[in-house]
Each structure stands twice: as C-alpha cells, then as structure tokens.
Amino acid sequence: MTTFTETPRRGVLLRVLPPGLYAGRASKLVERSILAYSRMWLVFASGVLEPLLYLVAFQIGFGRLVGDATGPDGQPMSYVAFVAPALLASSAMNGAVFDSTFNVFFKFRYAKTYDAMLATPIGPLDIAIGEISWAVLRGGLYSVAFFAVMAAMGLVTSAWALLLIPVALLIALAFAAIGMACATFLRSTSQFDYIQLAVVPMFLFSTTFYPLSVYPGPLQVVVQCSPLYHGIQLMREFAVGALHPGMIGHVAYLVALAILGIWGAARRLSGLLLR
C-alpha cells in the first residue's frame, strides 16, 4: 500500500525572498506584544485620552465660537464635524508612530530583543512585519474607541463613515512602517526630537483644524505632500459620503508609503543585525 506524505505549503514570500530574510513567523511578534501589554492597559488609555479631550473641547467649548466649515462635498458642516475625522486620523498616526519608534528603538538599541529573535527561526522581515502589525493593531484600537465617541456625539451621519476604521488602519500601517524604518537610524534618545519635529507640524498643518484653502498657494503644495493630509482627506470624504475617483490617489499614496517603510525597515534590520 502506497502512502503519500503531504509537504507543507509555502507562502509566496517564502518562495520568493532569500533564505533567512523571512520565515513566516511574524505573528509570533504580535503574540509577544499582546502578552507584554496585557497588564499595561493604562498605556492604551493614555493614547485614546488626548484626541478625545480635543474632540470634547471642540464640542462644548471652542467649537461653539467657530462658524460652519465647508465639507468635502461643498456643503456646510459644523466645525466639530469637520475636525473629528482629522482627529481620528491623527489618533491612528500617533498610536502607530509611538509604538513603531520608541518601543522599536528600545528593543533594538538597549534590550537587544531583535538579536535574540534572529537566533531563532525568525528573519528581519518577520520582525518588521510583526512589529508594524502590532503598531497597526494598537492604532486600530485607538481609532475604534474614538469612532465610538464620535457616534455617541452624533457626528456619524453617513453609512460610508463605517469605512473610517479601515482608513485609520491604513494610516496606522503607513506611519508605523515609516516610523520603524526611521527608528533604525536613531542612535540616542535625544534624537527622538527629530520624530516630534516631523509629527507635530503634520498634526497642526495637515488641514487638521483648517481647510486647505486658508494656506497660500505654494504652501498648499507642501501640505498636500504630507501623508497625514491624504489620510485626513479620506476620512472627511468618507465621513460625509463624498466619494470621487481622486480618493484612489490618497489610498495609493498611503499604500506606497507603507510598502516603502516595510522594505526599508527589513533592509535596515538585515544590514545592522546580520552583518
């Protein structure tokens, strides 16, 4: 009687990438992060609190002093409804950037966590995908909490607004990937000022609080180069159901940024830890 042994199926990445770069075990890093943070729920609460305070402040305070804003569909909308999708995008960005820079830097430079991981059947691309996936998950948790508050405050007025959560995950993916790649270039904690130097202006000037039309012409071009600007535009357009073909460009920008970041992070880790 002839017996047949089933060979394990290998994914596309396992067949294409060089041996040692990817082992298909990125999920193990996500599992590790979940276990590590299971007793640190206050870290997540603090990440949700800041944008929620902004939203409440605009709802019951400053927002009452500002007139209606013009929405993506050309119709007037309350200022708090104009700002809320932008704050949701910023929440996803902040959660992803914090996890993919500060935590990655500590594991890479001080704890030597990745050196230990590479002594097991895990490759640099596994580390990059695993850490970025956890940062996306964290950003997604912030976004779900924020969206729930938006709904409770009556700021969700279109069925298309349900797509704000997938858009938030895409924003978190793009910023987590780029953030991790940048973290591999940092050599001391003082250099995190460079991260803040990039994140804070994006938060303030990527049409988070003002429409693009208030900026001078040349500055509008600069604003439109910001990754957060594209995320905010997607958020606002889905929030009111103002769909148009140009949204594909916003998605393509963020996807390209994510791919570039994942590739850069894996390449840097491979060069620094396997040399």
Side-chain angles (χ1 to χ4, degrees):
M1 181 177 177
T2 305
T3 60
F4 297 92
T5 58
E6 182 180 357
T7 58
R9 298 180 63 183
R10 306 181 69 196
V12 174
L13 286 176
L14 287 174
R15 295 196 298 266
V16 173
L17 293 174
L21 184 62
Y22 181 71
R25 293 181 172 87
S27 61
K28 301 301 180 183
L29 279 88
V30 178
E31 181 180 350
R32 178 194 179 278
S33 296
I34 292 174
L35 293 174
Y37 280 90
S38 60
R39 297 184 180 181
M40 294 187 292
W41 60 271
L42 283 175
V43 175
F44 291 94
S46 63
V48 176
L49 186 61
E50 181 180 356
L52 291 185
L53 291 177
Y54 271 110
L55 188 60
V56 172
F58 282 116
Q59 176 72 9
I60 65 176
F62 180 71
R64 297 180 180 273
L65 304 176
V66 180
D68 291 342
T70 302
D73 55 356
Q75 300 298 320
M77 60 191 305
S78 67
Y79 185 66
V80 65
F82 176 81
V83 171
L87 291 178
L88 176 55
S90 301
S91 178
M93 176 191 72
N94 289 332
V97 167
F98 179 85
D99 205 276
S100 64
T101 55
F102 289 90
N103 289 340
V104 167
F105 177 81
F106 177 79
K107 294 175 184 176
F108 177 62
R109 293 289 180 184
Y110 296 107
K112 303 298 182 182
T113 305
Y114 300 144
D115 295 84
M117 288 180 178
L118 291 176
T120 69
I122 289 181
L125 188 56
D126 293 280
I127 294 175
I129 294 176
E131 292 289 14
I132 291 169
S133 298
W134 168 247
V136 170
L137 178 60
R138 183 172 177 174
L141 291 174
Y142 292 166
S143 302
V144 169
F146 192 93
F147 183 80
V149 175
M150 284 180 58
M153 295 174 66
L155 300 177
V156 177
T157 58
S158 170
W160 289 104
L162 293 174
L163 293 178
L164 294 183
I165 300 301
V167 172
L169 293 177
L170 178 58
I171 294 171
L173 174 61
F175 279 100
I178 289 297
M180 185 173 184
C182 292
T184 61
F185 288 95
L186 302 180
R187 297 184 178 276
S188 66
T189 54
S190 63
Q191 292 182 334
F192 278 106
D193 292 340
Y194 298 134
I195 302 293
Q196 294 301 315
L197 187 61
V199 171
V200 173
M202 274 196 292
F203 170 65
L204 294 176
F205 301 112
S206 295
T207 68
T208 308
F209 303 106
Y210 312 101
L212 184 65
S213 58
V214 304
Y215 296 101
L219 192 56
Q220 289 185 15
V221 177
V222 176
V223 171
Q224 292 176 24
C225 294
S226 164
L228 184 59
Y229 165 80
H230 294 275
I232 289 175
Q233 289 301 109
L234 280 175
M235 287 284 190
R236 286 196 175 121
E237 288 157 0
F238 278 125
V240 299
L243 308 185
H244 59 88
M247 299 172 72
I248 299 175
H250 298 312
V251 173
Y253 185 103
L254 294 173
V255 170
L257 193 67
I259 294 173
L260 177 64
I262 294 172
W263 175 82
R267 184 178 178 87
R268 285 286 298 168
L269 288 175
S270 178
L272 293 172
L273 299 177
L274 296 180
R275 57 185 178 181

